[in-house]
Amino acid sequence: MHIYDVSTLRRVKHEVQINWSRERTFSVRQMNFISQNTPISRGIYCIYAKNHKFAYESSQWQNRRWSRVVYIGCGWLDQRLVHHLRYGKNNVLTDFVENFDLAFRCDRILDNDPSIDYPRAVEAALLYLFQSKFGLMPPANRREERAPELGCDEFIINQSPNFDVFSSG
């Protein structure tokens, strides 16, 4: 993932380009493969169901909205993904691992800003946008992440065409 400064004379803007990795299976059986083949880098990741969609309803919408997303997170990619599987501290996510075929995609963060934690900022932005579209956070996310102060007027997120966290299906 790259962070770009696309500021104008009147507005300070940061733009994030997320280049999601190819799909990889997220299961206990794949723990060693995930550990050995995931970048040793900080970044963001999205865990989702391969063959299932979760319904979101609201009295304000005409139709249900559907999403495959189970969890959005950030951290050291090689460690966080394996820790979810090995230690199961998030019991809701563990239930999904046991009952659904899951996959994940990730992207590392290539920034050197000592004052802004961009992995957390992007995670918070993705969770906020997901909640705005579907009315709730992904089912295995247990708490809202607060976005850090970025010192900009606009924070734009672009995703690669191979995956979209906000797609309805």
Side-chain angles (χ1 to χ4, degrees):
M1 172 175 39
H2 298 281
I3 312 292
Y4 302 100
D5 183 357
V6 291
S7 299
T8 63
L9 291 175
R10 295 178 186 223
R11 296 178 58 85
V12 177
K13 299 180 186 180
H14 294 174
E15 185 172 313
V16 175
Q17 176 61 50
I18 302 173
N19 295 312
W20 293 109
S21 66
R22 66 180 177 82
E23 179 178 283
R24 294 193 176 144
T25 299
F26 187 73
S27 71
V28 175
R29 277 189 22 189
Q30 294 293 319
M31 202 171 354
N32 288 335
F33 179 84
I34 293 169
S35 175
Q36 295 167 4
N37 293 286
T38 303
I40 302 171
S41 176
R42 292 196 69 218
I44 58 167
Y45 56 93
C46 179
I47 300 169
Y48 58 96
K50 289 183 184 181
N51 305 313
H52 187 82
K53 297 175 189 172
F54 306 100
Y56 294 86
E57 296 184 52
S58 172
S59 59
Q60 299 170 349
W61 307 331
Q62 289 183 342
N63 300 321
R64 279 187 190 134
R65 296 182 181 173
W66 299 86
S67 176
R68 297 178 190 274
V69 174
V70 172
Y71 187 84
I72 297 171
C74 72
W76 285 93
L77 298 172
D78 61 321
Q79 296 172 11
R80 290 287 293 155
L81 290 160
V82 171
H83 283 201
H84 284 306
L85 294 168
R86 182 172 291 141
Y87 302 115
K89 291 183 179 180
N90 181 335
N91 59 344
V92 177
L93 182 55
T94 301
D95 287 344
F96 279 100
V97 170
E98 292 171 357
N99 295 303
F100 295 94
D101 285 335
L102 300 181
F104 75 93
R105 293 180 189 251
C106 61
D107 190 14
R108 62 180 117 192
I109 295 183
L110 305 174
D111 74 309
N112 297 326
D113 195 309
S115 61
I116 298 175
D117 186 356
Y118 276 107
R120 285 218 185 279
V122 173
E123 176 193 24
L126 288 173
L127 288 171
Y128 172 80
L129 292 170
F130 188 92
Q131 191 170 15
S132 296
K133 180 170 183 176
F134 295 102
L136 297 168
M137 289 196 318
N141 282 91
R142 296 187 293 190
R143 61 187 161 100
E144 281 184 50
E145 295 293 330
R146 292 184 181 254
E149 179 57 46
L150 299 174
C152 63
D153 299 312
E154 193 173 352
F155 190 65
I156 304 161
I157 294 183
N158 295 315
Q159 299 180 72
S160 56
N162 66 334
F163 183 71
D164 183 356
V165 170
F166 312 115
S167 73
S168 296

